[in-house]
Amino acid sequence: TEGGEHTGSGGGIMLAYARDPSDSGKIHANVKERWMKGDEEVLDAARSWAGFVDEALEVLRLRSSSSPVSQFLPERFCQLVDENFDLRFKVYGEECLGWKNVYMVQIARAHNAAGKFCGSGGAIIVLPRPSTDLHALQAVSYTHLTLPTKRIV
């Protein structure tokens, strides 16, 4: 939208999924093996992910105690979601994650929404920011992925 204003049904968490999901689980064994061998990159990543969770919970706790509560998740929460994905991409790589899964996150980010996997292969969560153009995001989603028109949270 002109000026970058939000033009959708509101904030919240949305789910997007590929029409033909991939199974990335078969390659995860490599990361488990690296963990078992004490690979510092994997151990550092695990510590970072735990820190992301702790900070995200604090952000949500502070949000729930503020008044009035915005329909959008706080920007720091969206940043943590993006950082989580970036670290996962660094540790696992595109071959493991699958280009279709990575592409879904890129679509979300191209429309100023945060995005990350919600499991292994085929689905991501999308967190709109106030400047996210949901109409444009949904329009591109029809050709590349499925993005429900209603938010899930």
Side-chain angles (χ1 to χ4, degrees):
T1 6
E2 192 172 321
E5 71 270 12
H6 174 79
T7 59
S9 59
I13 300 173
M14 302 176 83
L15 177 70
Y17 55 92
R19 291 186 178 105
D20 54 347
S22 64
D23 177 19
S24 60
K26 61 185 174 228
I27 307 176
H28 285 187
N30 173 274
V31 173
K32 181 178 179 182
E33 181 181 318
R34 290 171 58 195
W35 168 272
M36 299 300 284
K37 290 182 177 179
D39 182 313
E40 279 303 313
E41 180 183 33
V42 174
L43 296 174
D44 287 344
R47 286 187 283 271
S48 293
W49 284 316
F52 295 160
V53 170
D54 291 342
E55 187 175 351
L57 288 172
E58 180 64 13
V59 167
L60 293 176
R61 187 189 67 73
L62 291 172
R63 175 185 187 242
S64 69
S65 66
S66 70
S67 182
V69 173
S70 168
Q71 64 178 339
F72 295 97
L73 289 164
E75 176 58 27
R76 182 62 188 143
F77 190 86
C78 292
Q79 290 169 351
L80 289 164
V81 166
D82 283 338
E83 289 173 27
N84 177 296
F85 173 79
D86 292 343
L87 184 55
R88 184 168 177 160
F89 185 85
K90 179 182 173 193
V91 171
Y92 287 86
E94 185 174 332
E95 181 182 355
C96 174
L97 300 178
W99 72 268
K100 290 178 187 177
N101 297 324
V102 173
Y103 187 55
M104 287 191 291
V105 173
Q106 291 171 338
I107 289 172
R109 287 183 172 184
H111 291 83
N112 200 32
K116 72 172 282 311
F117 302 133
C118 51
S120 294
I124 66 167
I125 58 168
V126 178
L127 287 75
R129 291 177 165 98
S131 60
T132 300
D133 184 344
L134 286 180
H135 294 300
L137 180 58
Q138 288 170 336
V140 75
S141 74
Y142 291 122
T143 57
H144 299 288
L145 54 102
T146 302
L147 183 65
T149 55
K150 294 183 181 179
R151 64 180 190 237
I152 60 172
V153 173

